[in-house]
Amino acid sequence: MPFELTPEEEMVRKVVREFTEKEIIPHRRELRAENWDFVMQLAKKQAAAGFHLNLIPRQKGGTGLGQIARSITMEEICAGWPLIYPLLGTEFAWCFVNATGGEVEKKWMPGIVKGSIFASPMITESSGGSDVLGFTTAARKDGNSWVINGRKCFIHHAHISDFGMVLAKTGDPNDPATKGVKALSAFIVEKDMPGFRLVRGENTLSEKAQTSELVFDNVRVPENYLVGEVGRGIAPVFTAVGDIGRLGITAMLNGCILGSYQCSVKFAKERVLYGKPISTLQAIQWRIADILIDLETSRALAYRAGWLRNKGIRCDAEQAVAKYFATQAAHRCALHAINIHGAYGVLEEYMPQVYYRFAPPMIGAGGTDEILKQIMARAALEGADPVIGSKAAESGL
Amino acid sequence: MKPISIVVCIKPVPDSRHWEKITLDPETGLLRREGIPIIISPLDRNALEEALRIKENRDGKVTVISMGPPNTVEILTSALAMGADAAVLLTDRTFAAADTLATAYALASGIRKLGEYDLVLLGNESLDGSTGQVGPQVAEFLGIPHVTHVNKVNFIDEDTLQVKSRIELGYMMIEVKIPVALAVEKEINEPRIPSLLGVVQAKEKPMSTWSANDIGVDKARIGLPGSPTQVAKVFAIEVKRRGEVLTGEPVEVTRKLIEKLRAERVLPKVC
Amino acid sequence: MLEQTSKIEEYQGIWVFAEQRNGKLLEVGLELLGSGRMIADKMATELAAVLLGHNVAGLVVDELGEYGADKVYLLDSPILEVYRSDPYALLMQGLINQYKPAVLLIGATTIGMDLAPRVAAKIGTGLSAHCTGLDISGNGQLAAIVPAFGGSMMAAILCPNRRPQMATVCPGFMKKNEREQGRKASVVRVEVSLPQESIRTKVVEVFSEEPKTLPIELAETIVAGGYGIGSKENWKMVEELATVLGASVGATRPAVDEGWASLEEQMIGQSGKTVHPNLYIGIGISGVIHHLIGIKDSKVIVAINSDPNAPILKAADYGIVADFRDIVPHLIRGFREAMEEM
């Protein structure tokens, strides 16, 4: 694996950083859920700048720059402000239509390339996000369509999504061929379809009303809205959760680490105590060094997983390690930043408390620490030494 | 309207956010600029933005040209990412250590080699040298008219421009036909940030590198030999101030200060 | 460089471009006559003013001679009424080729900065920009002192092998001479005749207005406030002190960004204006290099800051370590009394 970024990847950082300095940092106070118009305005500008195009190939209207460039893009933006990033939904949308193809892809691609379309993965149920076999949402074939019934919860940004990919049970409990994960299929469901509705939005530690509960009440979807094949729904879900979800969340967390690093260095140089800037105090220097250790490590893991994925190599354990580490490190570094900032660290106008609030909600997203460790353990016990390009056993999400 | 061909001269300069890292070597009297990131001189970016806007309004081509060391390709790539169609780098050891006259001569020679052009745009002055001299001098060597301190550009017909040129406390509106060279100020526009699509497209656009021989210059007129001005020495500002701190109660400090200022004869006279 | 056809020794005399607008001579031209006089005297050579315009002969008698010019080259024609680079540069080129001056000084106004480089390129000579100082050596070599890197460094520029040695000089840095009533300059009227097609621009409109306030770069006294002032309410104290002193109000970038200073023109520093007043008083300004560069040419710097370690205190002549809210009211009272006494 080359330890150098390409000139394009270097330029991505410069371009996105300049955008962040100009369009995001001066408007941090305004980027709240209550100010959704402004958030959407910013998303539009980000879309115009092509920030959502990294994973879409050139020939389909994207930049094809890949996962590392995407990681850099999200890092720089989230260092500016991490709490709301609608364009993740556009990346999910691409992933879903790419897996479905046909009419669905034709219908939604122009909007996706434009960056005005968002989609959500609709997987989690109250029975658990990773316990897919415990799902109750089911789909049955009825003529040329499928009818879906069930409930999903903790669905991110469903309230702005134009469609989603639903994981539902299609298996027959009496048929051994559809046992286990082979009971699951994935479907595209659009927001205007009758029988589909949002129940309520949840407020979390980081932001208000970003996740919702969804109800599917005899929602009828056409045949070609099946993603892939019957009983093979777990595959597109893996891709979405891994490529878009985990790597995206990792990048956002790395943005928080980068942000904690930047604001701590700046503050330490400016804050004068005992007649000198606190950057002259060894204790502060060590905390900054600790942040740097996490920043270097977390980014290296993310870029490596991204590099493997750019090459089309499946690497479930590497992705899991990257997300696990980033979640822990983002939280740690935010705490360092709060310590360095002292009382200022938890003031609304200062960034450390923002980074601190972002990390915990990411624990549940894309797999808790324990789920991720399961994936890592399986790869270690069932895979080669060293683990490169690992596949987790299919029951673990 | 028929398509327009615009050449934009851009200069690589050290990023001013890092200028405090530039040091003066006391022995050689030379500046040490290693490791400081290079950017497009800000007003040249305004010039490029203006060229792109003109191209958006009528069909045409924007070529950026720069004279500098080999790593100048970085800023030329940024210019392509912003939307320029082609880039040219004039790079050669013999171009180095040029003053504005030699620089303008080299740039004009490069522009002539590009072929037909209608408009030459550049920033009114660069971030580092800030002489503001290269624009008029390039125009002279190309044999075309120039306007400096440009804040606004309008085409009143296919070939005729109305240009707003700032003067102290006002402006002049000047009418001129292409070809012409315009030196622009920052008030003219807000330069765009490249999109990521632009970053990818930049790779596919032509980037040429020309040496002194490639453009057929008279070697006596470029670089150090072609520079009538020479820097005799560079010195850092020495601020030798008294640094005297006045102490005491406010009334006392006030009295002392006024006394000192009176003695220095800097108390303003009553109008 | 292409060799000049004449030898360096053939170039004699110090020339000053006497810029005029609307029939009024600009101050900078007179300032250049002041330093030009010094240079000419040192070289035992003649000081000439070059005046282009329409119906401007009156200026010759009144001012140029009395401010030190020995000779005036007068080019008077309707085509020169308003500045355009083509006619002005072509005529200057013709004059230089004919009369061969050793030095040509031009004020660094927008027009001067437009004209000088074109002339230098036509002649193929060296030009130093935005000089704040000039010096001449015994053998007639002009050293032009110019700022570099936004003014954090200075450079001395020479033009050893080409003539005339040209420089654009910043207004306000040179001193004009005492006006000598009745001092006469000899006049050389030069005929103006240029082919129509050599003049390629048309001036459609000229707009200029009298300044409402003195531009800060010309102010003799400045009171400036920085981020330490803290609020728009407190800023009134800065303005009051300025009023008492008849001073212009200046600001650092943070104070402008906060909206306390009323005009962006008041911003002093690397990205703002460079000032050179007799007296500069900086209040609540920490003194980062970007600001210090803008004030380094002040004659006397006074700094008021509550932080004893603020860099500005080392860069000042007189420093007061105090909360400005405690000391400025006293200064206002004290200065008011002092001014009334004068």
Side-chain angles (χ1 to χ4, degrees):
Chain A
M1 159 178 129
F3 284 87
E4 225 179 23
L5 295 175
T6 65
E8 289 72 44
E9 284 160 354
E10 305 266 10
M11 195 176 294
V12 167
R13 190 181 295 280
K14 280 203 195 88
V15 164
V16 182
R17 182 169 291 200
E18 193 179 344
F19 180 95
T20 305
E21 284 167 358
K22 186 163 166 231
E23 301 286 351
I24 299 180
I25 291 176
H27 300 286
R28 280 168 165 161
R29 311 268 175 288
E30 296 154 69
L31 286 163
R32 306 283 143 123
E34 302 90 73
N35 229 354
W36 198 253
D37 281 340
F38 185 77
V39 173
M40 282 292 110
Q41 249 178 62
L42 178 64
K44 240 183 161 157
K45 285 187 184 169
Q46 291 172 335
F51 291 168
H52 61 298
L53 295 173
N54 289 306
L55 303 178
I56 303 177
R58 281 307 294 283
Q59 58 269 40
K60 299 222 164 162
T63 60
L65 284 167
Q67 285 278 11
I68 297 177
R70 176 205 187 209
S71 198
I72 291 170
T73 304
M74 294 172 91
E75 250 177 68
E76 289 294 330
I77 293 176
C78 293
W81 189 262
L83 300 184
I84 299 181
Y85 190 70
L87 289 187
L88 187 64
T90 312
E91 294 177 321
F92 271 122
W94 153 248
C95 183
F96 301 157
V97 308
N98 187 41
T100 316
E103 289 304 310
V104 169
E105 184 177 354
K106 245 186 28 213
K107 174 176 178 179
W108 291 109
M109 267 316 276
I112 289 171
V113 170
K114 213 169 135 219
S116 54
I117 296 297
F118 310 110
S120 302
M122 296 167 178
I123 302 163
T124 310
E125 300 192 16
S126 52
S127 58
S130 46
D131 182 11
V132 293
L133 300 179
F135 281 178
T136 54
T137 301
R140 72 184 151 74
K141 196 84 192 289
D142 182 32
N144 307 6
S145 24
W146 292 83
V147 177
I148 303 174
N149 276 286
R151 288 178 94 96
K152 297 283 184 186
C153 57
F154 293 116
I155 305 303
H156 187 72
H157 275 180
H159 64 301
I160 57 162
S161 288
D162 300 278
F163 63 91
M165 187 169 80
V166 181
L167 190 62
K169 273 211 156 114
T170 46
D172 179 347
N174 299 319
D175 180 356
T178 63
K179 266 207 135 51
V181 291
K182 294 207 183 59
L184 301 168
S185 305
F187 300 88
I188 302 294
V189 171
E190 292 167 355
K191 73 171 186 234
D192 295 324
M193 286 174 169
F196 170 75
R197 68 178 193 278
L198 267 68
V199 170
R200 61 159 178 248
E202 310 278 9
N203 300 334
T204 68
L205 172 63
S206 60
E207 251 304 351
K208 295 186 173 49
Q210 299 300 292
T211 71
S212 321
E213 215 177 291
L214 308 176
V215 171
F216 300 83
D217 187 0
N218 286 319
V219 177
R220 186 171 286 271
V221 307
E223 240 173 358
N224 56 359
Y225 275 50
L226 170 71
V227 183
E229 289 165 38
V230 176
R232 308 286 295 275
I234 209 77
V237 165
F238 259 146
T239 309
V241 167
D243 281 351
I244 312 298
R246 269 178 208 145
L247 285 184
I249 292 164
T250 304
M252 294 169 82
L253 290 163
N254 287 343
C256 290
I257 302 172
L258 176 60
S260 296
Y261 171 77
Q262 289 170 334
C263 72
S264 298
V265 167
K266 183 166 183 282
F267 188 83
K269 289 204 267 200
E270 287 170 354
R271 175 76 174 141
V272 172
L273 285 179
Y274 324 117
K276 284 187 291 189
I278 59 174
S279 58
T280 54
L281 301 169
Q282 209 169 45
I284 301 292
Q285 290 169 358
W286 286 344
R287 276 203 195 265
I288 289 175
D290 285 335
I291 299 177
L292 186 58
I293 292 171
D294 274 337
L295 181 62
E296 281 289 301
T297 314
S298 197
R299 290 206 291 205
L301 293 171
Y303 296 163
R304 178 162 185 257
W307 183 81
L308 288 166
R309 289 306 294 142
N310 282 348
K311 288 200 147 344
I313 298 172
R314 188 164 152 191
C315 53
D316 300 348
E318 287 83 349
Q319 276 180 347
V321 168
K323 197 247 166 181
Y324 172 86
F325 189 87
T327 313
Q328 306 266 321
H331 195 232
R332 249 194 321 266
C333 291
L335 209 47
H336 281 312
I338 290 174
N339 267 280
I340 290 168
H341 281 68
Y344 293 94
V346 295
L347 288 186
E348 232 190 45
E349 305 89 74
Y350 285 78
M351 288 306 286
Q353 52 87 17
V354 173
Y355 301 130
Y356 189 72
R357 284 161 48 208
F358 182 74
M362 294 300 112
I363 292 172
T368 59
D369 296 352
E370 288 68 32
I371 292 297
L372 298 173
K373 280 189 176 172
Q374 273 215 301
I375 294 172
M376 295 177 210
R378 279 204 175 94
L381 294 169
E382 295 170 12
D385 168 26
V387 172
I388 295 177
S390 57
K391 292 185 183 37
E394 294 202 320
S395 56
L397 263 182
Chain B
M1 287 207 197
K2 68 176 199 287
I4 187 166
S5 167
I6 309 177
V7 179
V8 183
C9 301
I10 65 175
K11 183 182 182 191
V13 298
D15 189 344
S16 62
R17 288 184 291 189
H18 299 265
W19 277 3
E20 64 261 11
K21 300 198 192 105
I22 299 178
T23 54
L24 190 56
D25 187 323
E27 285 179 16
T28 61
L30 292 174
L31 292 171
R32 309 187 61 138
R33 308 160 42 149
E34 299 86 38
I36 297 178
I38 304 291
I39 58 171
I40 301 178
S41 182
L43 294 186
D44 292 340
R45 231 176 128 173
N46 289 98
L48 176 54
E49 173 64 30
E50 197 61 25
L52 295 171
R53 289 186 190 192
I54 293 172
K55 192 184 84 146
E56 276 158 12
N57 277 331
R58 66 193 270 191
D59 211 17
K61 181 177 179 190
V62 174
T63 307
V64 283
I65 186 168
S66 192
M67 185 183 93
N71 65 3
T72 307
V73 292
E74 249 178 67
I75 61 153
L76 286 167
T77 308
S78 293
L80 292 173
M82 266 175 79
D85 299 296
V88 173
L89 172 61
L90 304 176
T91 190
D92 198 309
R93 308 205 102 192
T94 55
F95 287 141
D99 72 358
T100 63
L101 197 73
T103 303
Y105 172 73
L107 284 172
S109 305
I111 294 171
R112 245 194 241 106
K113 184 159 169 81
L114 284 173
E116 291 289 309
Y117 60 89
D118 301 305
L119 201 53
V120 176
L121 296 181
L122 74 174
N124 200 71
E125 66 261 355
S126 66
L127 185 65
D128 55 358
S130 5
T131 63
Q133 292 173 185
V134 170
Q137 294 188 331
V138 165
E140 174 61 25
F141 290 132
L142 290 174
I144 62 178
H146 78 264
V147 185
T148 57
H149 304 93
V150 174
N151 277 338
K152 207 159 150 59
V153 177
N154 262 336
F155 276 88
I156 58 178
D157 68 42
E158 214 174 44
D159 294 324
T160 316
L161 288 158
Q162 213 175 69
V163 178
K164 186 174 179 193
S165 173
R166 179 182 63 88
I167 57 173
E168 285 78 359
L169 305 167
Y171 59 84
M172 292 169 67
M173 287 300 263
I174 298 181
E175 213 175 272
V176 60
K177 280 194 167 348
I178 57 175
V180 62
L182 303 178
V184 309
E185 300 197 311
K186 74 174 195 285
E187 286 73 16
I188 194 172
N189 59 38
E190 181 74 39
R192 65 195 65 184
I193 300 175
S195 74
L196 294 194
L197 205 51
V199 170
V200 162
Q201 288 164 344
K203 257 196 329 186
E204 296 150 10
K205 295 178 182 173
M207 165 99 73
S208 320
T209 303
W210 291 342
S211 67
N213 287 330
D214 289 331
I215 59 175
V217 287
D218 177 352
K219 294 274 173 73
R221 296 180 68 182
I222 55 170
L224 195 57
S227 302
T229 59
Q230 290 171 12
V231 178
K233 61 176 180 159
V234 180
F235 41 102
I237 306 299
E238 276 174 38
V239 183
K240 280 196 219 77
R241 297 279 173 182
R242 283 180 208 280
E244 194 180 318
V245 175
L246 305 175
T247 53
E249 289 299 312
V251 178
E252 185 58 24
V253 166
T254 303
R255 190 191 59 75
K256 280 188 198 172
L257 179 66
I258 293 177
E259 214 174 81
K260 303 264 181 196
L261 296 181
R262 203 176 257 138
E264 298 247 27
R265 291 148 69 102
V266 292
L267 272 188
K269 302 180 185 45
V270 172
C271 356
Chain C
M1 267 179 293
L2 285 181
E3 295 306 312
Q4 280 184 304
T5 47
S6 311
K7 293 210 194 62
I8 285 196
E9 305 81 68
E10 296 179 43
Y11 290 81
Q12 296 285 327
I14 312 298
W15 282 15
V16 166
F17 177 68
E19 187 182 338
Q20 58 79 23
R21 294 187 199 177
N22 299 321
K24 201 162 171 288
L25 271 182
L26 263 61
E27 198 64 10
V28 66
L30 304 177
E31 292 166 7
L32 291 180
L33 284 177
S35 50
R37 183 75 265 161
M38 264 195 316
I39 296 172
D41 290 342
K42 204 163 168 197
M43 298 307 304
T45 184
E46 181 183 76
L47 174 65
V50 180
L51 178 65
L52 279 69
H54 185 45
N55 291 334
V56 291
L59 289 172
V60 176
V61 170
D62 280 347
E63 288 182 74
L64 293 169
E66 299 184 352
Y67 276 107
D70 299 316
K71 181 183 276 177
V72 176
Y73 292 95
L74 172 63
L75 291 81
D76 198 314
S77 158
I79 65 168
L80 302 178
E81 169 135 27
V82 176
Y83 170 77
R84 284 176 295 179
S85 58
D86 276 337
Y88 274 62
L90 282 167
L91 290 168
M92 292 292 295
Q93 177 186 25
L95 274 180
I96 291 169
N97 284 338
Q98 187 172 3
Y99 295 104
K100 300 190 182 25
V103 169
L104 171 56
L105 304 175
I106 301 181
T109 61
T110 50
I111 285 176
M113 296 307 296
D114 186 288
L115 174 64
R118 191 101 200 199
V119 173
K122 282 188 187 303
I123 303 291
T125 187
L127 171 64
S128 305
H130 302 297
C131 303
T132 55
L134 293 169
D135 200 11
I136 194 108
S137 70
N139 61 357
Q141 190 135 216
L142 182 76
I145 314 297
V146 305
F149 286 99
S152 49
M153 314 233 184
M154 303 296 278
I157 315 279
L158 303 177
C159 179
N161 302 315
R162 308 311 300 264
R163 293 293 180 270
Q165 305 168 86
M166 288 182 62
T168 50
V169 182
C170 289
F173 280 83
M174 305 293 158
K175 258 177 81 83
K176 64 184 182 192
N177 296 324
E178 291 292 328
R179 188 167 179 166
E180 247 187 80
Q181 292 290 342
R183 186 180 184 284
K184 295 250 179 281
S186 63
V187 179
V188 177
R189 262 185 186 274
V190 181
E191 199 190 302
V192 174
S193 142
L194 290 171
Q196 187 75 295
E197 58 278 9
S198 66
I199 303 177
R200 298 168 291 189
T201 62
K202 204 164 82 180
V203 178
V204 169
E205 185 197 342
V206 179
F207 174 79
S208 80
E209 55 185 356
E210 284 307 307
K212 298 186 197 73
T213 54
L214 188 64
I216 200 163
E217 53 266 44
L218 300 179
E220 289 196 348
T221 314
I222 295 175
V223 176
Y227 197 59
I229 298 294
S231 71
K232 197 152 173 106
E233 199 48 43
N234 289 343
W235 189 263
K236 298 203 178 97
M237 239 185 268
V238 173
E239 290 174 335
E240 204 186 328
L241 182 59
T243 307
V244 166
L245 287 166
S248 296
V249 177
T252 60
R253 156 137 264 157
V256 169
D257 288 344
E258 287 294 319
W260 306 330
S262 48
L263 290 169
E264 186 146 335
E265 287 87 67
Q266 293 172 310
M267 190 167 76
I268 300 172
Q270 189 182 73
S271 45
K273 297 282 163 77
T274 304
V275 298
H276 42 89
N278 288 329
L279 173 60
Y280 165 96
I281 302 179
I283 309 175
I285 293 176
S286 60
V288 293
I289 187 74
H290 308 284
H291 181 70
L292 293 183
I293 284 167
I295 63 171
K296 69 178 187 324
D297 294 308
S298 311
K299 185 156 178 246
V300 172
I301 295 179
V302 176
I304 300 168
N305 198 303
S306 58
D307 178 0
N309 294 315
I312 198 169
L313 291 168
K314 283 198 201 69
D317 295 294
Y318 304 106
I320 300 173
V321 180
D323 187 322
F324 70 93
R325 283 165 289 202
D326 294 333
I327 188 76
V328 173
H330 287 270
L331 290 176
I332 290 174
R333 210 173 305 131
F335 280 124
R336 191 176 282 134
E337 285 165 16
M339 305 289 276
E340 278 161 14
E341 283 169 31
M342 281 162 77

